[in-house]
Amino acid sequence: MTQPAQQPPRNPRIAIIGAGMSGLCMAFVLRRAGITDITIYEKADSVGGTWRDNTYPGLSCDVPSRFYQFTFAPKPDWSHVFSPGAEIRDYFTSVARDHDLEKHIRFGTEVVHAEFGQGHWRLRTSHGDTQEVDFLISATGILHHPRYPTIQGLDDFGGAVFHSARWDHSVPLRGKRVAVVGTGSTGVQIVCGLAGTAGRVELFQRSAQWVLPVPNPSYTRFGKTLHRRFPKLGARIYESYRAGFQFLAGALIKPGKRRRLIGALCRANLRTVRDPKLREALTPDYQPMCRRLIFSGRFYRAMQRPDVGLVTENIDHVTSNGIVTTDGRLHEVDVIALATGFDAHAFLRPMNLVGENGRTIDEAWSDGPRAHLTVALPDFPNFFMLMGPHSPVGNYSLTAIAETQADHILGWVDRWRRGEFATVAPTRQATDAFNTEMRSAMPGTVWTTGCTSWYLGKDGVPELWPWTPGAHRTRLSTDTSGYDLRVTADRP
Ligand code: NAP
């Protein structure tokens, strides 16, 4: 008996929004699977996302470069354990070039509206043109929208003022008095980057931070040659970092020895600050790791330099020549760098997304961003997210998370290619159950031990994945429950 001829897999039309790290990862994973009809919309004129936008002095990634890279694009010649930002941006540029992803990118084109209907997504761009696709994948990043503080008089400042993610390189800093406002990972890196270059650095601290001292040696030529000759070595090192960060994640999600160990290392680091008054001022009033842990082997050394100062009084207002704190003191400065963070809950915004039955993203997220398994949303069929709500982003390699999420999404795209369904979306019940499961796991995590941070949603509950990144990987590679598959194009 002759077998019926097998249908060739369908070739889906896919739009990815964003050519940053996760958008490139998704495009690569789709291409590797033989999918070719891919458009990547990128509103800027180059790739790299956060690594394109952030160029401040001292910028590096506090996740080791041999772990903050794609497994499918290992780079043997990273310069440092924690390589500088420009090198990371160049890495993503070369991934786009070397894997022939650039031809899919429409630079300078923002998706302003996307609406689902009759089994497809119809996108409208900032140029007014439209495109119809079978799958819409958002890779718009988490920390994308700078948060500007409302400080009275800031607009009247006579010198330069800019946000860390909009660094103005036309402003000379050598010999200048620079105020750095904010003590998150960014503020700490800027202080380390400017100390010794600027005439004086004044760090305005509202809350102190715990800092884990991690040295950042450069790689030798011999080490790079070894990595080039023996690619398996890089893969081994990647896996050992994965295990190390899994250990750290264990400390984040439940109390115990690991948490105490990391806390003790942070406290020992703080003791390297010799002046007791400065040490006290740099001592946080919450548990280590409650906020995103800062990795820096240089911060306390920088803070003890004579040309670096710490201001712990709150900022009252800004005048034409400096910052006045609530004790009435004027701190004269030439430049104000705002390391005041990002709106971490503005996922996808300002894009206007309309799912089934006219349900908008604002309606779906009226109580805050939510997602099923970190990647999908009820009422938004054939729509997926990378770095979406509840992703395990605290102190972990986001490239590893992007690969996990991209593989999960590819799983659905592959099933669509085989004709198993026309549309797929998680059910509301499954998404609610997943959220309940996450919330009930939250109390053991360090993020709930009493501090403010960008991790917290507007109800004060952390919006992060409350288990290990390993559990995220296992769950996303095995769990396809809770999804509703429809075989006809539109839903009733
Ligand atoms: P952040 O952690 O949100 O820190 C913002 C800082 O600005 C806080 O210290 C905050 O004080 C302060 N601030 C805000 N408004 C202020 C005001 N009106 N007056 C005085 N201080 C004010 O932001 P971030 O440092 O940009 O870091 C955000 C995230 O980006 C990090 O947690 C990390 O995930 C990522 N990041 C990663 C790296 C890396 O190497 N991988 C590097 C940089 C950033 P309060 O704490 O008192 O609110």
Side-chain angles (χ1 to χ4, degrees):
M1 214 169 76
T2 51
Q3 295 286 326
Q6 260 202 340
Q7 293 285 325
R10 297 188 288 170
N11 196 10
R13 299 163 298 171
I14 300 186
I16 298 171
I17 307 173
M21 179 277 290
S22 56
L24 295 175
C25 176
M26 189 72 240
F28 175 87
V29 166
L30 292 169
R31 278 280 305 274
R32 184 171 58 188
I35 295 162
T36 51
D37 193 345
I38 303 166
T39 311
I40 308 173
Y41 290 95
E42 172 52 61
K43 64 182 175 185
D45 56 7
S46 58
V47 305
T50 196
W51 299 106
R52 176 201 58 224
D53 294 345
N54 285 278
T55 58
Y56 58 77
L59 172 68
S60 70
C61 182
D62 61 9
V63 176
S65 302
R66 295 207 183 286
F67 189 38
Y68 191 88
Q69 63 175 345
F70 296 128
T71 52
F72 53 80
K75 175 173 153 62
D77 56 354
W78 286 110
S79 67
H80 290 76
V81 171
F82 304 96
S83 298
E87 193 176 337
I88 300 169
R89 184 201 55 219
D90 291 348
Y91 167 74
F92 290 117
T93 306
S94 69
V95 168
R97 190 189 53 232
D98 298 348
H99 295 279
D100 207 18
L101 303 176
E102 279 171 338
K103 67 179 183 201
H104 297 283
I105 306 175
R106 281 189 63 187
F107 287 111
T109 310
E110 185 173 356
V111 174
V112 290
H113 184 91
E115 187 154 355
F116 182 81
Q118 291 164 347
H120 309 292
W121 281 95
R122 179 173 281 271
L123 318 182
R124 197 173 68 243
T125 74
S126 45
H127 303 307
D129 56 332
T130 58
Q131 191 198 359
E132 199 178 81
V133 292
D134 301 301
F135 284 92
L136 176 63
I137 301 174
S138 160
T140 50
I142 315 167
L143 301 172
H144 183 59
H145 298 287
R147 198 174 52 198
Y148 288 90
T150 44
I151 300 175
Q152 195 201 324
L154 198 55
D155 292 340
D156 305 326
F157 181 59
V161 47
F162 41 77
H163 190 272
S164 57
R166 302 286 181 272
W167 199 270
D168 185 348
H169 290 277
S170 70
V171 176
L173 297 175
R174 190 162 288 281
K176 301 285 182 198
R177 296 162 301 177
V178 183
V180 178
V181 180
T183 48
S185 306
T186 304
V188 165
Q189 290 187 348
I190 294 174
V191 168
C192 297
L194 287 182
T197 305
R200 180 159 182 84
V201 180
E202 216 61 84
L203 175 61
F204 287 78
Q205 170 187 286
R206 204 163 62 175
S207 326
Q209 292 275 3
W210 288 108
V211 182
L212 193 69
V214 188
N216 186 19
S218 57
Y219 286 116
T220 60
R221 200 185 302 169
F222 176 65
K224 292 177 196 173
T225 308
L226 271 184
H227 273 272
R228 219 173 273 120
R229 289 251 178 95
F230 305 104
K232 279 191 181 154
L233 178 65
R236 283 263 168 91
I237 289 178
Y238 183 96
E239 285 309 323
S240 57
Y241 275 128
R242 199 202 285 280
F245 276 82
Q246 179 82 355
F247 178 90
L248 175 65
L252 296 170
I253 61 169
K254 59 174 192 270
K257 266 191 201 152
R258 296 179 193 191
R259 194 178 287 177
R260 286 197 295 277
L261 172 66
I262 291 169
L265 292 172
C266 292
R267 289 191 179 88
N269 188 32
L270 186 60
R271 286 196 289 276
T272 63
V273 178
R274 289 181 303 275
D275 175 359
K277 270 200 180 144
L278 179 62
R279 189 163 63 238
E280 195 190 334
L282 288 169
T283 305
D285 58 2
Y286 54 88
Q287 275 197 37
M289 294 183 291
C290 184
R291 289 159 176 244
R292 186 178 189 277
L293 187 57
I294 292 184
F295 287 54
S296 176
R298 295 166 63 198
F299 180 57
Y300 290 147
R301 253 185 293 143
M303 291 310 299
Q304 293 180 84
R305 291 174 59 101
D307 52 0
V308 176
L310 179 69
V311 180
T312 53
E313 286 294 333
N314 282 344
I315 296 172
D316 186 71
H317 65 279
V318 169
T319 64
S320 62
N321 59 340
I323 296 177
V324 179
T325 40
T326 46
D327 56 357
R329 202 174 144 205
L330 168 68
H331 305 261
E332 287 190 54
V333 291
D334 305 302
V335 176
I336 300 177
L338 301 169
T340 45
F342 300 85
D343 180 354
H345 312 286
F347 289 100
L348 305 171
R349 305 313 203 286
M351 193 173 34
N352 188 8
L353 210 61
V354 185
E356 265 189 324
N357 303 321
R359 188 166 168 80
T360 65
I361 195 75
D362 287 339
E363 286 163 359
W365 284 350
S366 56
D367 291 334
R370 275 165 158 232
H372 183 59
L373 298 180
T374 73
V375 287
L377 258 176
D379 304 315
F380 290 77
N382 291 8
F383 169 72
F384 291 97
M385 294 170 279
L386 289 107
M387 301 301 138
H390 328 298
S391 292
V393 293
N395 285 111
Y396 195 68
S397 168
L398 300 200
T399 56
I401 298 164
E403 286 193 47
T404 295
Q405 294 175 330
D407 286 342
H408 180 88
I409 296 166
L410 174 67
W412 287 114
V413 174
D414 263 342
R415 290 178 65 175
W416 183 95
R417 293 169 86 196
R418 293 196 295 270
E420 289 185 28
F421 62 84
T423 65
V424 61
T427 63
R428 284 195 191 186
Q429 292 89 322
T431 309
D432 288 347
F434 173 66
N435 273 271
T436 306
E437 190 189 342
M438 272 194 315
R439 281 174 169 255
S440 53
M442 228 35 107
T445 68
V446 72
W447 311 307
T448 58
T449 53
C451 66
T452 56
S453 77
W454 66 262
Y455 290 165
L456 308 182
K458 51 183 178 187
D459 56 1
V461 177
E463 288 188 347
L464 301 184
W465 177 263
W467 306 287
T468 63
H472 183 249
R473 206 149 65 102
T474 306
R475 182 105 183 233
L476 264 67
S477 60
T478 55
D479 190 354
T480 52
S481 64
Y483 282 93
D484 181 21
L485 279 62
R486 300 277 171 109
V487 288
T488 54
D490 230 350
R491 288 160 190 236

